[in-house]
């Protein structure tokens, strides 16, 4: 019997689980206030769905589930070793959402606003910070082609993050169609745009010279490369872009989204344009977003519009936009910095006799405290020290024959 | 692409997910009041842990995860087809809890009181009512050898169920040691006790004659069978048992548990003795419980003491008791009877112009309502009808140029 959880998967002790539940409740409360509603989908999907190529690189990281009984025997006897599995664990919440929407469309509102906070699985190589089971935290608007959906997602996500003590953050926004129009204007051709986006997406890691080098190595037009190089070497504003592709309707949408989202943030976070933002997933068709935390460095969320995904299930074009908070990243930050969940009050009833009497006393406190009962131990000082370490706020020593049974405060310095 | 979830697994649309979250929150609130704390463990366990025989029949129903990369190739090339899997999905929450406790003992309180509400997986044959992914809802006390743990589990579980509109229920209690002492007193021998318990556990299904028939067929002593037959043919009280095995310490524990749990229930549910209660799992060592719902028929929860399980990981005897609410059964009952989650208030802002102004108006209502925004449609009556169907309580038609923007109530008859 093996005591440790599998590599890349985690046990969460009460303090840790309490922090996770607190985060989820804060986020849920804000999302509910915005009219989003939670849904649940199974963690397991048909292998056919989960092997679809929209999953990009994540699709290589699927945990596959072995067939059972006769079907497993059949596959082995026929030496069909590519056919040992009929199901897989989901690698994200977007594929299950699109399948869910296609399956339940008749029972859902015309514009669906969905919350998913749930586990996903990736067969990553076990190493620090690469979890194989982790929680994703998504909201999606399905059925709204207007850019109000983008504004609502950005604002709801921003407000949710304001509930968590992560310090300053900002939201970077781009639009894939705008990016592609700019690339076309430089002379890149239509068919190469996806590939150039993939290279551009590496800018953070390989820098301007790296991007230029890869484009040159792949034989793209020198003048086109030169045009792109200028734009990624210096900060670019929406006005700069308007100079390149004036009167582009997607550019107007991008302007409006950024402008209105900023008005609604009332300065509590900034929404900014980022010409170089691509986002990895191939399925994005319009605006893309990313959340960056000034204090902690790096990305703590992202999303975008993916108008073509649901149609793969339904055959019917259906607009969709989603935004995902990097739950595990924020959890790790709050956990490492020792954030204490506010508002929990813990009381111990230490009883000398009369368990029923002590229980009834405990009951009288349960509306204001989380109440634990302990038999009076040989060394009460040791118990009190332990309670303090565990974050208890108060205790009562209950003695049936003592009319007082006073509430004593524990000074836990936190 | 396949729209339906896999057989035996479920999508939950917002109304359904809302009911599930409501149930979880009600149960969690009570359990927190009793000082229980939530923990999380991964849904995937090492195949060695999950194949252990304590899982009983459930162990046959494991979803196994295919090995990956070189290790999969190795197993195939060596024709080791029993060795294609290195992990499995958990089939219950008790095995993960005992592994968790063994792994995290140093960071946990001496007496641990844990909540687990989480998904488990069983490769059942797909058929009505047999889910392959479902939620279990457990509390466990680890490290307390006193029967106060039993009383606390029964009382906390009873109180949690009182929060849910399931009508009258009662809690049946037995003690495996008492049952075994009675069987010994009839002349059955020590080694046959487990087998006799397995047969007795079928009483519900096969009746008194069925049990007697199986015992006879297996060649047990006729006089011993006769003694047992009398006890299972008529209701048996603790006094009857005291006539058979007087001064048995486990009988005294059983009496005290039932007596004190009844005092604490204050008549809101009954805790009763049931001589025939066995509970399927082989690992139970002392008291066992089962919840029966008078209104809906059948079992809606169960548990018991399992003092020998944690030692399999730690090598150290560790007392443990657990109680599990049949979450899916109760969910199904409430869902089928059309129970509406109380307290949710939904408001629609239908805006004619000025999205930002409408958004700010929506914000002013978000503390008291879940607020959704809609562009003013061509047919507003149709939208209002749909909002009523979706359980909205109120709406505002927002017009920038109208100072009134009144709140209108929707009479949704629910």
């Amino acid at each position: 019997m093996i005591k440790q959880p599998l590599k890349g998967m985690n046990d969460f002790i009460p303090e840790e689980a309490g922090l996770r539940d607190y985060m989820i409740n804060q986020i849920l409360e804000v999302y509910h206030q915005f009219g989003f509603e939670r849904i649940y989908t199974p963690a397991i999907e048909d292998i056919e769905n989960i092997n679809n190529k929209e999953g990009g690189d994540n699709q290589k990281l699927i945990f596959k589930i072995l067939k059972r009984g006769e079907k497993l025997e059949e596959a082995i006897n026929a030496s069909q070793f590519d056919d040992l599995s009929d199901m897989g664990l989901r690698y994200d919440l977007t594929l299950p959402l699109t399948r869910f929407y296609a399956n339940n469309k008749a029972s859902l509102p015309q514009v669906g606003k969905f919350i998913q906070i749930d586990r996903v699985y990736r067969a990553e190589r076990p190493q620090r910070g690469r979890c194989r089971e982790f929680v994703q935290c998504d909201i999606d608007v399905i059925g709204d082609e207007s850019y109000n959906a983008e504004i609502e997602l950005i604002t709801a996500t921003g407000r949710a993050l304001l509930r968590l003590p992560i310090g300053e953050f900002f939201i970077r926004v781009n639009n894939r169609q705008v990016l592609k129009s700019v690339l076309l204007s430089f002379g890149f051709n239509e068919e190469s745009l996806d590939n150039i986006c993939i290279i551009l997406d590496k800018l953070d890691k390989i820098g301007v010279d790296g991007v230029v080098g890869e484009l040159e190595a792949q034989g793209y037009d020198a003048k086109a490369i030169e045009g792109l190089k200028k734009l990624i070497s210096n900060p670019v504003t929406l006005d700069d872009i308007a100079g390149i592709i004036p009167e582009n309707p997607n550019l107007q949408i991008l302007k409006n989204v950024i402008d209105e989202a900023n008005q609604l943030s009332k300065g509590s976070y900034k929404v900014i344009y980022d010409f170089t933002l691509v986002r990895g997933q191939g399925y994005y068709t319009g605006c893309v977003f990313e959340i960056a935390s000034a204090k902690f460095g790096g990305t703590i969320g992202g999303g975008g519009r993916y108008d073509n995904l649901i149609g793969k299930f339904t055959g019917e074009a259906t607009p969709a936009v989603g935004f995902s908070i990097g739950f595990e990243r924020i959890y790790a930050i709050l956990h490492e910095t020792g954030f204490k969940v506010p508002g929990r009050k813990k009381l111990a009833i230490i009883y000398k006799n009369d368990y029923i009497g002590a229980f009834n006393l405990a009951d009288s406190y349960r509306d204001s405290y989380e109440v634990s009962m302990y038999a009076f131990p040989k060394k009460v000082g040791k118990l009190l020290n332990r309670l303090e370490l565990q974050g208890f706020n108060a205790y009562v020593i209950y003695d049936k024959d003592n009319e007082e049974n006073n509430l004593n405060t524990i000074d836990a310095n936190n």
Side-chain angles (χ1 to χ4, degrees), chain A residues 16-36:
Chain A
E16 296 166 341
L19 172 55
R20 294 171 77 82
D21 280 352
Y22 173 80
M23 288 174 58
I24 289 171
N25 288 336
Q26 292 295 312
I27 294 169
L28 270 179
E29 195 175 309
V30 173
Y31 286 169
H32 282 148
Q33 286 179 341
F34 278 77
F36 286 84

Side-chain angles (χ1 to χ4, degrees), chain A residues 110-141:
Chain A
Q110 272 188 308
V111 174
K113 294 167 65 177
F114 303 115
I115 308 166
Q116 289 185 97
I117 303 180
D118 228 327
R119 286 165 159 157
V120 302
Y121 298 86
R122 293 194 190 159
E124 302 264 9
R125 280 177 152 252
Q127 54 181 292
R128 196 180 132 72
R130 291 258 173 170
C131 282
R132 305 211 279 179
E133 178 187 70
F134 58 98
V135 167
Q136 286 195 334
C137 177
D138 289 14
I139 44 175
D140 293 83
V141 178

Side-chain angles (χ1 to χ4, degrees), chain A residues 28-317:
Chain A
L28 270 179
E29 195 175 309
V30 173
Y31 286 169
H32 282 148
Q33 286 179 341
F34 278 77
F36 286 84
E37 301 190 284
R38 196 170 194 176
I39 62 161
Y40 289 105
T41 59
I44 307 178
E45 287 282 340
D46 195 291
I47 200 77
E48 185 185 322
N49 287 347
I50 216 146
N51 266 340
N52 93 87
K53 66 181 188 303
E54 297 293 341
D57 278 353
N58 298 332
Q59 187 228 308
K60 294 176 196 153
L61 303 174
I62 298 169
F63 282 115
K64 294 179 180 173
I65 293 172
L66 202 58
K67 287 182 175 175
R68 298 147 305 282
E70 278 174 25
K71 290 192 174 167
L72 178 60
E73 279 170 35
E74 275 170 31
I76 290 175
N77 291 340
S79 295
Q80 290 176 331
F81 300 120
D82 290 336
D83 198 27
L84 294 170
S85 166
D86 54 352
M87 310 172 174
L89 293 174
R90 61 180 168 204
Y91 53 80
D92 73 5
L93 299 175
T94 304
L95 170 86
L97 175 68
T98 54
R99 186 199 52 69
F100 171 93
Y101 188 82
N103 187 42
N104 298 286
K105 214 182 151 199
S107 319
L108 298 171
Q110 272 188 308
V111 174
K113 294 167 65 177
F114 303 115
I115 308 166
Q116 289 185 97
I117 303 180
D118 228 327
R119 286 165 159 157
V120 302
Y121 298 86
R122 293 194 190 159
E124 302 264 9
R125 280 177 152 252
Q127 54 181 292
R128 196 180 132 72
R130 291 258 173 170
C131 282
R132 305 211 279 179
E133 178 187 70
F134 58 98
V135 167
Q136 286 195 334
C137 177
D138 289 14
I139 44 175
D140 293 83
V141 178
I142 298 188
D144 188 351
E145 59 185 11
S146 88
Y147 63 78
N148 290 337
E150 273 87 343
I151 296 173
E152 197 162 26
L153 285 177
I154 292 171
T155 309
T157 304
R159 298 269 181 95
L161 289 178
L162 289 173
R163 291 283 192 99
L164 302 172
I166 57 163
E168 202 182 338
F169 62 90
F170 53 101
I171 298 175
R172 300 153 65 201
V173 183
N174 197 6
N175 185 309
R176 282 262 179 103
Q177 302 307 328
V178 170
L179 179 58
K180 288 184 172 178
S181 297
V182 172
L183 293 173
L184 285 174
S185 79
F186 290 148
F188 291 107
N189 61 33
E190 185 82 38
E191 301 77 54
S192 61
L193 294 184
D194 282 337
N195 183 47
I196 294 167
C197 281
I198 291 169
I199 296 170
L200 189 57
D201 194 33
K202 300 186 204 166
L203 181 64
D204 277 359
K205 284 173 199 143
I206 62 176
V208 174
D209 291 345
V211 168
V212 168
E214 281 207 26
L215 292 171
E216 285 171 350
Q218 293 186 23
Y220 288 108
D221 178 69
K223 223 179 111 188
I225 296 175
E226 191 54 34
L228 180 59
K229 186 181 175 182
K230 268 190 205 158
L231 275 200
I232 60 175
S233 302
N234 296 297
V236 173
T237 67
L238 281 168
D239 286 343
D240 297 334
I241 301 299
I244 302 169
I245 48 164
E247 305 196 18
N248 180 300
N250 287 306
L251 179 60
Q252 192 56 48
I253 287 175
L254 182 55
K255 270 185 174 170
N256 291 353
V257 166
I258 292 173
D259 177 46
E260 295 186 33
N262 268 317
Q263 285 184 56
L264 292 172
S265 93
K266 300 186 169 72
S268 54
Y269 51 87
K270 284 213 174 66
V271 182
I272 61 173
Y273 171 58
D274 182 348
F275 169 74
T276 68
L277 182 67
V278 177
R279 300 283 305 157
Q281 295 289 11
Y283 53 61
Y284 289 128
T285 55
C287 282
V288 287
F289 334 112
E290 204 159 274
I291 312 161
S293 161
K295 191 169 162 194
F296 296 102
T299 300
I300 54 168
R305 182 171 279 274
Y306 54 97
D307 282 348
N308 296 335
L309 266 192
I310 291 167
K312 305 212 182 262
F313 283 99
T314 59
E316 219 174 289

